[in-house]
Amino acid sequence: QGLGISTKDTIVCYDEISTTWSSPRLYWMLRSFGFNNVYVLDGGFRQWEEKGYEVEAGKHRNYDPLPSPEDIELKSHLLKN
């Protein structure tokens, strides 16, 4: 919630170009933290713009990238391995 997102939101992960692999990493990270409505934009953001699809911009917010202990939920099934 400190980032302005919750597990109920729909999140689209993208890279500036289609040859970067950061968006799939973010996808799997968010999925492991309980986000179920997460998608990767095929082709990246640049291709999305080139095709003339709609783009929306919002306010940029600064945030502390380190989670607090309250933000971390341990997954017991992951700890067994």
Side-chain angles (χ1 to χ4, degrees):
Q1 290 176 344
L3 298 177
I5 59 174
S6 78
T7 55
K8 297 175 185 172
D9 292 328
T10 299
I11 301 168
V12 178
C13 307
Y14 61 87
D15 293 307
E16 289 295 317
I17 55 175
S18 62
T19 58
T20 309
W21 297 100
S22 299
S23 57
R25 285 187 201 120
L26 178 59
Y27 168 87
W28 286 112
M29 183 185 75
L30 290 172
R31 289 299 305 259
S32 70
F33 284 114
F35 290 82
N36 294 316
N37 298 319
V38 182
Y39 304 91
V40 175
L41 183 61
D42 187 17
F45 189 71
R46 186 177 299 162
Q47 188 177 45
W48 180 267
E49 284 187 309
E50 287 171 358
K51 291 187 175 193
Y53 295 133
E54 187 176 337
V55 176
E56 182 179 306
K59 281 186 171 181
H60 177 269
R61 293 178 16 172
N62 291 328
Y63 66 93
D64 183 0
L66 300 175
S68 67
E70 299 83 36
D71 294 333
I72 298 173
E73 176 186 338
L74 294 178
K75 305 282 186 184
S76 60
H77 68 281
L78 295 175
L79 294 175
K80 292 179 185 177
N81 294 326

